[in-house]
Amino acid sequence: MNETERVDPQLENFIHNETQKQRFQVLVHCLTDTCWDSCMGWPSNRLDSKTEVCITNCVERFLDATTFITRRLMNTTKYRSESPLEFE
């Protein structure tokens, strides 16, 4: 890639930020669908206490799992960068 084909750093940063926002929105949508399907029976005007507790627990477990997976991936990536694989 020569100098005339380089991407504007501001544009690249903007695209990165928008991509992150989109990923977050997809994650929230997935969480909402999962917890709705798991906890909701028939919708009504108000949430009963059982449904409210279920949704709270669902969200908390989802966040716990996401945090665990993120940390595991970060540790794996760190480990791989510190000791790269050698091929013969």
Side-chain angles (χ1 to χ4, degrees):
M1 182 181 287
N2 62 33
E3 289 295 321
T4 59
E5 295 175 339
R6 288 217 157 172
V7 176
D8 178 17
Q10 284 183 314
L11 177 61
E12 191 172 6
N13 189 38
F14 175 78
I15 291 171
H16 174 75
N17 289 339
E18 291 300 309
T19 302
Q20 291 297 94
K21 287 178 189 177
Q22 181 186 19
R23 287 180 181 162
F24 179 75
Q25 289 173 345
V26 168
L27 183 64
V28 169
H29 181 74
C30 178
L31 170 63
T32 303
D33 280 349
T34 300
C35 291
W36 179 271
D37 292 343
S38 298
C39 298
M40 290 301 294
W42 292 97
S44 63
N45 293 338
R46 296 177 52 128
L47 292 178
D48 62 11
S49 62
K50 180 181 173 186
T51 303
E52 189 173 346
V53 168
C54 180
I55 289 174
T56 301
N57 287 335
C58 182
V59 170
E60 288 174 356
R61 295 303 72 77
F62 189 88
L63 293 174
D64 290 344
T66 301
T67 301
F68 174 80
I69 291 168
T70 302
R71 286 183 181 157
R72 178 68 80 146
L73 288 173
M74 288 173 53
N75 289 340
T76 302
T77 303
K78 181 181 175 186
Y79 173 76
R80 286 184 181 168
S81 67
E82 290 175 354
S83 58
L85 296 174
E86 295 181 20
F87 296 100
E88 294 182 16

